[in-house]
Amino acid sequence: MGVLGCSTSAPPLVHFAPKTARIPLKTPESKEEYSESLRKLVQDNCPSLFTPFEPKWWLNNGHIQTTYSVFADISQVDSVWYRRQNLKLVDGGTLTEWRTARGLDFAPIDDAALSDDTPIVVILHGLTGGSYEPYIKSILTHAIKPVDKGGLGYRAVIPHSRGCGGVPITSTKFYSAGGTDDFRQALIYISNRYPRAKLLGLGFSLGSNIMTRYIAQEGEKCRLSSACVLANPWDLAANSDILSGTFIGRNVYNNALGTNLMNVAKQHYKALMADPSLPIAKALKPLMSVSQMTLTNFDKVFLSQVGGPPPQFPYATVNEYYDAMSSHECIGEIRIPYLAINSADDPVVQYVPMDGAGNGYAVMVLTSGGGHLGWFNDGTGKDRWTTKPVLEWLTLMGREVLAKSGSERGHKVVLGTDEFLRNEGGDEWLGCKECEGGGLINGNAGVEGLRKGL
């Protein structure tokens, strides 16, 4: 990105491996198995992916795109309501220690007409975000709209990170930049609730990083049958160094991201300090005394010390933490169709592994502009370049590709004597069950709408 972060109208760079994976397809008229290369499937079914990003002249800048996505009043655009289901998760080494709630927001709220094998888009939000985010709704509203009204007719669900989206922290545990256990437990619940449905992953920013790590870790047992990730930060150490190396990066973006995290920590201070003898409480006190809060400082003082389970934590340096939480080295382990979209003028994410590690399942895309989670074509907030190609990808993966459901792909889910759902033979400290709370959630009034509900 240049000094002004100016975009051009050049077509996106779209990278395929020299030999892409062959993807099985549905063949209703034939009993013979049929497959096609991922390259041809994308070229034939996702034409919007190859079109230039051409915004209005006053949005032709990565900084403006990023700023507009944060400050523009577009919360009422792409209106959606959710039905929240709270889950209780098992934390710690025994089943009686530290239990926490996690909110899953489902849409549409009236899905009685949808069959139990309707594809489900599973969405992970960005840093400190939630289901109210306009970047989520710009795709979700079209995905859940009935087919006869021009939509895909899918279900969607957004699992929230701890403390985000109006979900209270009820244990002495925070979330980390690359921890996958909470997402893994959410998928256990979703696949058990809808055992015949394919699960299509969709990640944004930090959620993309977490989703990519989960996919790589699970390999053939990944409950997602495909994934699309936008604005993945990939290499957290490299992008942190680049961000800190510019005046705007240090004084605007780094500060803003750190302040957002600090607000979450302050909001849940009481819960996190429930036991002053725990490492998280000991790390929280010096965090509150940091004079200039940046993302780097927050991660250095707090998350690198307590952002996940032992024995990995604490890390000696923040870069050790970043290296452990990054996803750029995970691409080679992905075994499902995987589409990654980044912007060349993203001021937050400058390192993008465009070679895709030579993985035949990965399609790597770099647009000339769009900023960080912007991609606005105009100032209405309704027209983003990313909407069409992502919907085309979801249509391909949900309707045309032959794939197993989330319950068939993953480990068998079993119900324990404590009424927690778990992977059969899995770790005892990973499990979930429904708990009180939830109900109808207003996704059009920012985080306050999620806190207040109906």
Side-chain angles (χ1 to χ4, degrees), residues 136-220:
I136 288 178
K137 298 192 296 175
S138 67
I139 295 171
L140 179 145
T141 50
H142 299 283
I144 65 173
K145 188 185 299 182
V147 175
D148 60 4
K149 294 184 179 179
L152 303 189
Y154 291 177
R155 287 186 176 91
V157 57
I158 300 96
H160 286 92
S161 296
R162 297 175 185 235
C164 297
V167 179
I169 288 180
T170 55
S171 74
T172 50
K173 185 177 179 181
F174 210 69
Y175 74 94
S176 69
T180 57
D181 281 348
D182 283 0
F183 184 45
R184 184 171 284 104
Q185 291 171 97
L187 290 175
I188 290 174
Y189 174 79
I190 296 165
S191 61
N192 185 72
R193 178 167 169 172
Y194 297 101
R196 298 186 61 216
K198 286 194 291 187
L199 307 183
L200 316 177
L202 177 60
F204 296 88
S205 193
L206 192 66
S208 295
N209 188 67
I210 294 170
M211 184 172 288
T212 300
R213 288 172 55 79
Y214 163 79
I215 295 167
Q217 290 169 2
E218 291 296 295
E220 300 293 343

Coordinates of all heavy atoms in Angstrom, one line a residue, residues 136-220:
I136 N -21.0 -8.4 8.7 CA -21.6 -9.7 8.8 C -23.0 -9.7 8.1 O -23.3 -10.5 7.3 CB -21.8 -10.2 10.3 CG1 -20.4 -10.6 10.8 CG2 -22.8 -11.4 10.4 CD1 -20.5 -11.0 12.3
K137 N -23.8 -8.7 8.5 CA -25.2 -8.6 8.0 C -25.2 -8.4 6.5 O -26.2 -8.8 5.8 CB -25.9 -7.5 8.7 CG -26.1 -7.7 10.2 CD -27.1 -6.8 10.8 CE -26.6 -5.3 10.7 NZ -27.6 -4.4 11.2
S138 N -24.2 -7.8 5.9 CA -24.2 -7.5 4.4 C -24.2 -8.8 3.6 O -24.7 -8.8 2.5 CB -22.9 -6.7 4.1 OG -21.8 -7.5 4.2
I139 N -23.8 -9.9 4.2 CA -23.8 -11.2 3.6 C -24.9 -12.1 4.2 O -25.7 -12.7 3.4 CB -22.5 -11.9 3.7 CG1 -21.4 -11.1 2.9 CG2 -22.5 -13.3 3.2 CD1 -20.0 -11.6 3.2
L140 N -25.1 -12.0 5.5 CA -26.0 -12.9 6.2 C -27.5 -12.7 5.7 O -28.2 -13.6 5.5 CB -25.9 -12.7 7.7 CG -26.8 -13.5 8.6 CD1 -26.1 -13.9 9.9 CD2 -28.1 -12.7 8.9
T141 N -27.9 -11.4 5.6 CA -29.2 -11.1 5.2 C -29.6 -11.8 3.9 O -30.7 -12.2 3.7 CB -29.5 -9.6 5.1 OG1 -28.5 -9.0 4.3 CG2 -29.5 -9.0 6.5
H142 N -28.7 -11.8 2.9 CA -28.9 -12.4 1.6 C -28.9 -14.0 1.7 O -29.6 -14.7 1.0 CB -27.9 -12.0 0.6 CG -27.9 -10.5 0.3 ND1 -28.9 -9.9 -0.4 CD2 -27.1 -9.5 0.8 CE1 -28.6 -8.6 -0.5 NE2 -27.6 -8.3 0.3
A143 N -28.0 -14.5 2.6 CA -27.9 -15.9 2.8 C -29.2 -16.5 3.4 O -29.6 -17.6 3.0 CB -26.7 -16.2 3.7
I144 N -29.8 -15.8 4.3 CA -31.0 -16.3 5.0 C -32.3 -15.9 4.3 O -33.4 -16.5 4.7 CB -31.1 -15.9 6.5 CG1 -31.3 -14.4 6.6 CG2 -29.8 -16.4 7.2 CD1 -31.5 -13.9 8.0
K145 N -32.3 -15.0 3.4 CA -33.5 -14.6 2.7 C -34.1 -15.8 1.9 O -33.3 -16.6 1.3 CB -33.2 -13.5 1.7 CG -34.4 -12.8 1.1 CD -34.0 -11.8 0.1 CE -33.2 -10.6 0.7 NZ -32.9 -9.6 -0.3
P146 N -35.4 -16.0 1.9 CA -36.0 -17.1 1.1 C -35.6 -17.1 -0.3 O -35.4 -16.0 -0.9 CB -37.5 -16.9 1.3 CG -37.6 -16.1 2.6 CD -36.4 -15.2 2.6
V147 N -35.5 -18.3 -0.9 CA -35.1 -18.4 -2.3 C -36.1 -17.7 -3.2 O -35.7 -17.0 -4.2 CB -35.1 -19.9 -2.7 CG1 -34.8 -20.0 -4.2 CG2 -34.0 -20.6 -1.9
D148 N -37.4 -17.7 -2.9 CA -38.4 -17.0 -3.8 C -38.3 -15.5 -3.7 O -38.9 -14.8 -4.5 CB -39.8 -17.5 -3.5 CG -40.2 -17.2 -2.0 OD1 -39.4 -16.6 -1.3 OD2 -41.3 -17.6 -1.7
K149 N -37.5 -15.0 -2.8 CA -37.3 -13.6 -2.7 C -35.8 -13.2 -3.1 O -35.4 -12.1 -2.8 CB -37.5 -13.1 -1.2 CG -39.0 -13.2 -0.8 CD -39.3 -12.7 0.5 CE -40.8 -12.8 0.9 NZ -41.1 -12.3 2.3
G150 N -35.1 -14.1 -3.7 CA -33.8 -13.8 -4.2 C -32.7 -14.2 -3.3 O -31.5 -13.8 -3.7
G151 N -32.9 -14.8 -2.2 CA -31.9 -15.2 -1.3 C -31.4 -16.7 -1.5 O -31.9 -17.3 -2.4
L152 N -30.6 -17.1 -0.6 CA -30.1 -18.5 -0.7 C -31.0 -19.5 0.1 O -31.0 -20.7 -0.1 CB -28.7 -18.6 -0.1 CG -27.6 -17.8 -0.8 CD1 -26.2 -18.2 -0.3 CD2 -27.7 -17.9 -2.3
G153 N -31.8 -19.0 1.1 CA -32.7 -19.8 1.9 C -31.9 -20.7 2.9 O -32.4 -21.7 3.2
Y154 N -30.8 -20.2 3.4 CA -30.0 -20.9 4.3 C -30.3 -20.5 5.8 O -31.0 -19.5 6.0 CB -28.5 -20.7 4.1 CG -27.9 -21.3 2.9 CD1 -26.6 -21.0 2.6 CD2 -28.6 -22.0 2.0 CE1 -26.0 -21.5 1.4 CE2 -28.1 -22.5 0.8 CZ -26.7 -22.3 0.5 OH -26.2 -22.8 -0.6
R155 N -29.8 -21.3 6.7 CA -29.8 -20.8 8.1 C -28.4 -20.2 8.3 O -27.4 -20.5 7.6 CB -29.9 -22.0 9.1 CG -31.4 -22.5 9.2 CD -31.4 -23.6 10.3 NE -32.8 -24.1 10.5 CZ -33.3 -25.1 9.9 NH1 -32.5 -25.8 9.1 NH2 -34.5 -25.5 10.1
A156 N -28.3 -19.4 9.4 CA -27.0 -18.9 9.8 C -26.9 -18.8 11.3 O -27.9 -18.7 12.0 CB -26.8 -17.5 9.2
V157 N -25.6 -18.9 11.8 CA -25.4 -18.8 13.3 C -24.1 -18.1 13.5 O -23.1 -18.4 12.8 CB -25.5 -20.2 14.0 CG1 -24.5 -21.2 13.4 CG2 -25.3 -20.1 15.5
I158 N -24.1 -17.3 14.5 CA -22.9 -16.5 14.9 C -22.5 -16.9 16.4 O -23.2 -16.4 17.3 CB -23.0 -15.0 14.8 CG1 -23.3 -14.6 13.4 CG2 -21.7 -14.3 15.2 CD1 -24.8 -14.4 13.1
P159 N -21.5 -17.7 16.6 CA -21.0 -18.0 18.0 C -20.1 -16.8 18.4 O -19.2 -16.4 17.7 CB -20.2 -19.2 17.8 CG -20.4 -19.8 16.5 CD -20.8 -18.6 15.6
H160 N -20.5 -16.2 19.6 CA -19.7 -15.0 20.0 C -18.5 -15.5 20.9 O -18.6 -16.4 21.6 CB -20.6 -14.1 20.9 CG -21.6 -13.4 20.1 ND1 -22.9 -13.8 19.8 CD2 -21.5 -12.2 19.4 CE1 -23.5 -13.0 19.1 NE2 -22.7 -12.0 18.8
S161 N -17.4 -14.7 20.7 CA -16.3 -14.9 21.6 C -16.6 -14.4 23.0 O -17.6 -13.6 23.2 CB -15.1 -14.0 21.1 OG -14.7 -14.5 19.8
R162 N -15.9 -14.9 24.0 CA -16.2 -14.6 25.4 C -16.2 -13.1 25.6 O -15.3 -12.4 25.3 CB -15.2 -15.3 26.3 CG -15.3 -16.8 26.2 CD -14.2 -17.4 27.0 NE -14.2 -18.9 26.8 CZ -14.3 -19.8 27.8 NH1 -14.4 -19.4 29.0 NH2 -14.3 -21.1 27.5
G163 N -17.3 -12.6 26.2 CA -17.4 -11.2 26.5 C -17.8 -10.3 25.4 O -18.0 -9.1 25.6
C164 N -18.1 -10.9 24.2 CA -18.5 -10.1 23.0 C -19.9 -10.3 22.7 O -20.6 -11.2 23.1 CB -17.6 -10.5 21.8 SG -15.9 -10.2 22.0
G165 N -20.5 -9.3 22.0 CA -21.9 -9.4 21.6 C -22.9 -9.4 22.7 O -24.0 -10.0 22.6
G166 N -22.6 -8.8 23.8 CA -23.5 -8.8 24.9 C -23.6 -10.1 25.8 O -24.4 -10.2 26.6
V167 N -22.6 -11.0 25.5 CA -22.5 -12.2 26.3 C -21.7 -12.0 27.5 O -20.5 -11.6 27.3 CB -22.0 -13.4 25.4 CG1 -21.9 -14.7 26.2 CG2 -22.8 -13.6 24.2
P168 N -22.2 -12.2 28.7 CA -21.3 -12.0 29.9 C -20.2 -13.0 30.0 O -20.4 -14.2 29.6 CB -22.4 -12.1 31.0 CG -23.4 -13.1 30.5 CD -23.5 -12.7 29.0
I169 N -19.1 -12.6 30.6 CA -18.1 -13.6 31.0 C -18.5 -14.0 32.4 O -18.6 -13.3 33.3 CB -16.7 -12.9 31.0 CG1 -16.2 -12.6 29.6 CG2 -15.7 -13.8 31.7 CD1 -14.9 -12.0 29.5
T170 N -18.6 -15.4 32.5 CA -19.1 -15.9 33.8 C -18.0 -16.8 34.4 O -18.3 -17.6 35.3 CB -20.4 -16.7 33.7 OG1 -20.2 -17.7 32.6 CG2 -21.5 -15.7 33.3
S171 N -16.8 -16.8 33.8 CA -15.7 -17.6 34.4 C -14.4 -16.7 34.3 O -14.4 -15.6 33.8 CB -15.5 -18.8 33.5 OG -14.9 -18.5 32.3
T172 N -13.4 -17.2 34.9 CA -12.1 -16.5 34.9 C -11.3 -16.9 33.7 O -10.2 -17.5 33.9 CB -11.4 -16.8 36.2 OG1 -11.3 -18.2 36.4 CG2 -12.0 -16.1 37.4
K173 N -11.8 -16.7 32.5 CA -11.1 -17.1 31.3 C -11.5 -16.1 30.2 O -12.7 -15.8 30.0 CB -11.5 -18.5 30.9 CG -10.7 -19.0 29.7 CD -11.0 -20.5 29.4 CE -10.3 -21.0 28.2 NZ -10.6 -22.4 27.8
F174 N -10.5 -15.6 29.5 CA -10.7 -14.7 28.4 C -10.4 -15.5 27.1 O -10.1 -16.6 27.1 CB -9.6 -13.6 28.5 CG -10.1 -12.2 27.9 CD1 -11.1 -11.5 28.6 CD2 -9.5 -11.7 26.8 CE1 -11.5 -10.3 28.1 CE2 -9.9 -10.5 26.3 CZ -10.9 -9.8 26.9
Y175 N -10.7 -14.8 26.0 CA -10.5 -15.5 24.7 C -9.1 -15.0 24.2 O -8.6 -14.0 24.5 CB -11.6 -15.3 23.7 CG -11.7 -13.9 23.1 CD1 -11.1 -13.7 21.8 CD2 -12.4 -12.9 23.7 CE1 -11.2 -12.4 21.2 CE2 -12.5 -11.6 23.1 CZ -11.9 -11.4 21.9 OH -12.0 -10.2 21.3
S176 N -8.6 -15.8 23.2 CA -7.2 -15.4 22.7 C -7.4 -15.2 21.2 O -8.4 -15.5 20.6 CB -6.2 -16.5 23.0 OG -6.5 -17.7 22.3
A177 N -6.3 -14.8 20.6 CA -6.3 -14.5 19.1 C -6.3 -15.7 18.2 O -6.7 -15.6 17.1 CB -5.0 -13.7 18.8
G178 N -6.0 -16.9 18.8 CA -6.0 -18.1 18.0 C -6.6 -19.3 18.6 O -6.5 -20.4 18.1
G179 N -7.2 -19.2 19.8 CA -7.7 -20.3 20.5 C -9.0 -20.9 19.8 O -9.8 -20.1 19.3
T180 N -9.1 -22.2 19.7 CA -10.1 -22.8 18.9 C -11.1 -23.6 19.7 O -12.1 -24.1 19.1 CB -9.5 -23.7 17.8 OG1 -8.7 -24.7 18.4 CG2 -8.7 -22.9 16.8
D181 N -10.9 -23.8 21.0 CA -11.7 -24.7 21.7 C -13.2 -24.2 21.9 O -14.1 -25.0 21.8 CB -11.1 -24.9 23.1 CG -10.0 -25.9 23.1 OD1 -9.8 -26.6 22.1 OD2 -9.3 -26.0 24.2
D182 N -13.4 -22.9 22.0 CA -14.7 -22.4 22.1 C -15.5 -22.6 20.8 O -16.7 -23.0 20.8 CB -14.7 -20.9 22.5 CG -14.4 -20.7 24.0 OD1 -14.2 -21.7 24.7 OD2 -14.4 -19.5 24.4
F183 N -14.8 -22.4 19.7 CA -15.4 -22.6 18.4 C -15.7 -24.1 18.2 O -16.8 -24.5 17.7 CB -14.5 -22.1 17.3 CG -15.1 -22.2 15.9 CD1 -16.4 -21.8 15.6 CD2 -14.3 -22.7 14.9 CE1 -17.0 -21.9 14.4 CE2 -14.9 -22.8 13.6 CZ -16.2 -22.4 13.3
R184 N -14.8 -24.9 18.6 CA -15.0 -26.4 18.5 C -16.2 -26.8 19.3 O -17.0 -27.7 18.8 CB -13.7 -27.1 19.1 CG -13.7 -28.6 18.9 CD -12.3 -29.1 19.3 NE -11.3 -28.9 18.2 CZ -10.4 -28.0 18.3 NH1 -10.2 -27.2 19.4 NH2 -9.5 -27.9 17.3
Q185 N -16.4 -26.3 20.5 CA -17.6 -26.6 21.3 C -18.9 -26.1 20.7 O -19.9 -26.8 20.7 CB -17.4 -26.1 22.7 CG -16.3 -26.8 23.5 CD -15.9 -26.1 24.8 OE1 -16.4 -26.6 25.8 NE2 -15.1 -25.1 24.7
A186 N -18.8 -24.9 20.1 CA -20.0 -24.4 19.4 C -20.4 -25.3 18.3 O -21.6 -25.6 18.0 CB -19.8 -23.0 18.9
L187 N -19.4 -25.8 17.5 CA -19.7 -26.7 16.4 C -20.3 -28.1 16.9 O -21.1 -28.7 16.2 CB -18.5 -26.9 15.5 CG -18.0 -25.7 14.7 CD1 -16.7 -26.0 14.0 CD2 -19.1 -25.3 13.7
I188 N -19.9 -28.5 18.0 CA -20.4 -29.7 18.6 C -21.9 -29.5 18.8 O -22.7 -30.4 18.4 CB -19.8 -30.1 19.9 CG1 -18.3 -30.6 19.7 CG2 -20.6 -31.1 20.7 CD1 -17.5 -30.8 21.0
Y189 N -22.3 -28.4 19.4 CA -23.7 -28.1 19.6 C -24.5 -28.0 18.3 O -25.6 -28.5 18.1 CB -23.9 -26.8 20.4 CG -25.3 -26.4 20.6 CD1 -26.1 -27.1 21.5 CD2 -25.9 -25.4 19.8 CE1 -27.5 -26.7 21.7 CE2 -27.2 -25.1 19.9 CZ -28.0 -25.7 20.9 OH -29.3 -25.4 21.0
I190 N -24.0 -27.2 17.4 CA -24.7 -26.9 16.1 C -24.9 -28.2 15.3 O -26.0 -28.5 14.8 CB -23.9 -25.9 15.3 CG1 -23.8 -24.5 16.0 CG2 -24.6 -25.7 13.9 CD1 -22.8 -23.6 15.4
S191 N -23.9 -29.0 15.2 CA -24.0 -30.3 14.5 C -24.9 -31.3 15.2 O -25.5 -32.1 14.5 CB -22.6 -30.9 14.2 OG -22.0 -31.2 15.4
N192 N -25.0 -31.2 16.5 CA -25.9 -32.1 17.2 C -27.4 -31.6 17.1 O -28.3 -32.4 16.9 CB -25.5 -32.1 18.7 CG -26.4 -33.1 19.5 OD1 -26.2 -34.3 19.3 ND2 -27.3 -32.6 20.3
R193 N -27.5 -30.3 17.0 CA -28.9 -29.7 16.9 C -29.4 -29.9 15.4 O -30.6 -30.1 15.2 CB -28.8 -28.2 17.2 CG -30.2 -27.5 17.0 CD -30.1 -26.1 17.7 NE -31.2 -25.3 17.3 CZ -31.5 -24.1 17.9 NH1 -30.7 -23.6 18.8 NH2 -32.5 -23.4 17.5
Y194 N -28.5 -29.8 14.5 CA -28.9 -30.0 13.0 C -28.0 -31.1 12.4 O -27.1 -30.8 11.6 CB -28.8 -28.7 12.3 CG -29.7 -27.6 12.8 CD1 -29.2 -26.6 13.6 CD2 -31.0 -27.6 12.4 CE1 -30.0 -25.6 14.0 CE2 -31.9 -26.5 12.8 CZ -31.4 -25.6 13.6 OH -32.2 -24.5 14.1
P195 N -28.2 -32.3 12.8 CA -27.3 -33.4 12.4 C -27.2 -33.7 10.8 O -26.3 -34.3 10.4 CB -27.8 -34.6 13.1 CG -29.2 -34.3 13.4 CD -29.3 -32.9 13.6
R196 N -28.2 -33.2 10.1 CA -28.3 -33.5 8.6 C -27.8 -32.3 7.8 O -27.7 -32.4 6.6 CB -29.7 -33.9 8.2 CG -30.2 -35.1 8.9 CD -31.6 -35.5 8.3 NE -31.4 -35.7 6.8 CZ -32.4 -35.4 5.9 NH1 -33.5 -34.8 6.3 NH2 -32.2 -35.7 4.6
A197 N -27.4 -31.2 8.5 CA -27.0 -30.0 7.7 C -25.5 -29.9 7.5 O -24.7 -30.2 8.4 CB -27.5 -28.7 8.5
K198 N -25.2 -29.4 6.3 CA -23.8 -29.0 6.0 C -23.5 -27.7 6.7 O -24.4 -26.8 6.7 CB -23.6 -28.9 4.5 CG -23.6 -30.2 3.7 CD -23.0 -30.0 2.3 CE -24.0 -29.2 1.4 NZ -23.5 -29.2 0.0
L199 N -22.3 -27.6 7.2 CA -21.9 -26.4 7.9 C -20.8 -25.7 7.0 O -19.8 -26.2 6.7 CB -21.3 -26.7 9.2 CG -22.2 -27.6 10.2 CD1 -21.5 -27.7 11.5 CD2 -23.5 -26.9 10.4
L200 N -21.2 -24.4 6.6 CA -20.3 -23.6 5.7 C -19.7 -22.5 6.5 O -20.4 -21.6 7.1 CB -21.1 -23.0 4.6 CG -22.1 -24.0 3.9 CD1 -22.9 -23.2 2.8 CD2 -21.4 -25.2 3.3
G201 N -18.4 -22.5 6.7 CA -17.7 -21.5 7.5 C -17.6 -20.2 6.8 O -17.3 -20.1 5.6
L202 N -17.7 -19.1 7.6 CA -17.5 -17.7 7.1 C -16.8 -16.9 8.2 O -17.4 -16.7 9.2 CB -18.8 -17.1 6.6 CG -18.8 -15.6 6.1 CD1 -17.9 -15.5 4.9 CD2 -20.2 -15.1 5.8
G203 N -15.6 -16.5 8.0 CA -14.9 -15.8 9.0 C -14.5 -14.4 8.6 O -14.3 -14.1 7.4
F204 N -14.4 -13.5 9.6 CA -14.0 -12.1 9.4 C -12.9 -11.7 10.3 O -13.0 -11.9 11.5 CB -15.2 -11.1 9.6 CG -16.4 -11.3 8.7 CD1 -17.4 -12.3 9.0 CD2 -16.4 -10.6 7.5 CE1 -18.4 -12.5 8.1 CE2 -17.5 -10.8 6.6 CZ -18.5 -11.7 6.9
S205 N -11.8 -11.2 9.7 CA -10.7 -10.7 10.5 C -10.1 -11.7 11.5 O -9.8 -12.8 11.1 CB -11.1 -9.3 11.1 OG -9.9 -8.6 11.6
L206 N -10.1 -11.4 12.8 CA -9.6 -12.3 13.7 C -10.4 -13.6 13.7 O -9.8 -14.7 14.0 CB -9.6 -11.7 15.2 CG -8.8 -12.5 16.2 CD1 -7.3 -12.5 15.9 CD2 -9.0 -12.0 17.6
G207 N -11.7 -13.6 13.5 CA -12.5 -14.8 13.3 C -12.0 -15.7 12.2 O -12.1 -16.9 12.3
S208 N -11.5 -15.1 11.2 CA -10.9 -15.8 10.1 C -9.6 -16.6 10.5 O -9.4 -17.7 10.1 CB -10.5 -14.9 8.9 OG -11.6 -14.2 8.3
N209 N -8.8 -15.9 11.4 CA -7.6 -16.6 11.9 C -8.0 -17.8 12.7 O -7.4 -18.9 12.6 CB -6.9 -15.6 12.7 CG -5.5 -16.1 13.2 OD1 -4.6 -16.3 12.4 ND2 -5.4 -16.3 14.5
I210 N -9.0 -17.6 13.6 CA -9.4 -18.7 14.5 C -10.0 -19.9 13.7 O -9.7 -21.0 13.9 CB -10.4 -18.2 15.5 CG1 -9.8 -17.2 16.5 CG2 -11.1 -19.4 16.3 CD1 -10.7 -16.5 17.4
M211 N -10.9 -19.5 12.7 CA -11.5 -20.5 11.8 C -10.4 -21.3 11.0 O -10.5 -22.5 10.9 CB -12.5 -19.9 10.9 CG -13.3 -20.9 10.0 SD -14.6 -20.1 9.1 CE -15.8 -19.7 10.4
T212 N -9.5 -20.6 10.5 CA -8.4 -21.3 9.7 C -7.6 -22.3 10.6 O -7.3 -23.4 10.2 CB -7.5 -20.2 9.1 OG1 -8.2 -19.4 8.3 CG2 -6.3 -20.9 8.3
R213 N -7.3 -21.9 11.8 CA -6.6 -22.7 12.7 C -7.4 -24.0 13.1 O -6.9 -25.1 13.1 CB -6.2 -21.9 14.0 CG -5.1 -20.9 13.7 CD -4.8 -20.0 15.0 NE -4.6 -20.8 16.2 CZ -3.4 -21.4 16.5 NH1 -2.4 -21.2 15.7 NH2 -3.3 -22.0 17.6
Y214 N -8.7 -23.8 13.3 CA -9.6 -24.9 13.7 C -9.6 -25.9 12.5 O -9.4 -27.1 12.7 CB -11.0 -24.4 13.9 CG -12.0 -25.5 13.9 CD1 -12.1 -26.4 14.9 CD2 -12.8 -25.7 12.7 CE1 -13.0 -27.5 14.8 CE2 -13.7 -26.8 12.6 CZ -13.8 -27.7 13.7 OH -14.7 -28.7 13.6
I215 N -9.8 -25.4 11.3 CA -9.8 -26.3 10.1 C -8.6 -27.1 10.0 O -8.6 -28.3 9.7 CB -10.1 -25.4 8.8 CG1 -11.4 -24.8 8.9 CG2 -10.0 -26.3 7.6 CD1 -11.6 -23.7 7.8
A216 N -7.4 -26.5 10.1 CA -6.2 -27.2 10.0 C -6.0 -28.2 11.1 O -5.5 -29.3 10.9 CB -5.0 -26.2 10.0
Q217 N -6.4 -27.8 12.3 CA -6.2 -28.7 13.5 C -7.1 -30.0 13.3 O -6.6 -31.1 13.7 CB -6.5 -28.0 14.8 CG -5.5 -26.9 15.2 CD -6.1 -26.1 16.3 OE1 -7.2 -26.3 16.8 NE2 -5.3 -25.1 16.7
E218 N -8.3 -29.8 12.8 CA -9.2 -30.9 12.7 C -8.9 -31.9 11.5 O -9.3 -33.0 11.6 CB -10.6 -30.4 12.7 CG -11.1 -29.8 14.0 CD -11.1 -30.8 15.1 OE1 -11.9 -31.7 15.1 OE2 -10.4 -30.6 16.1
G219 N -8.3 -31.3 10.5 CA -8.1 -32.2 9.3 C -9.3 -32.8 8.7 O -10.3 -32.1 8.5
E220 N -9.3 -34.1 8.6 CA -10.4 -34.8 8.0 C -11.7 -34.8 8.9 O -12.8 -35.1 8.4 CB -10.0 -36.3 7.7 CG -8.9 -36.4 6.7 CD -9.2 -36.0 5.3 OE1 -10.4 -35.8 5.0 OE2 -8.3 -35.7 4.5

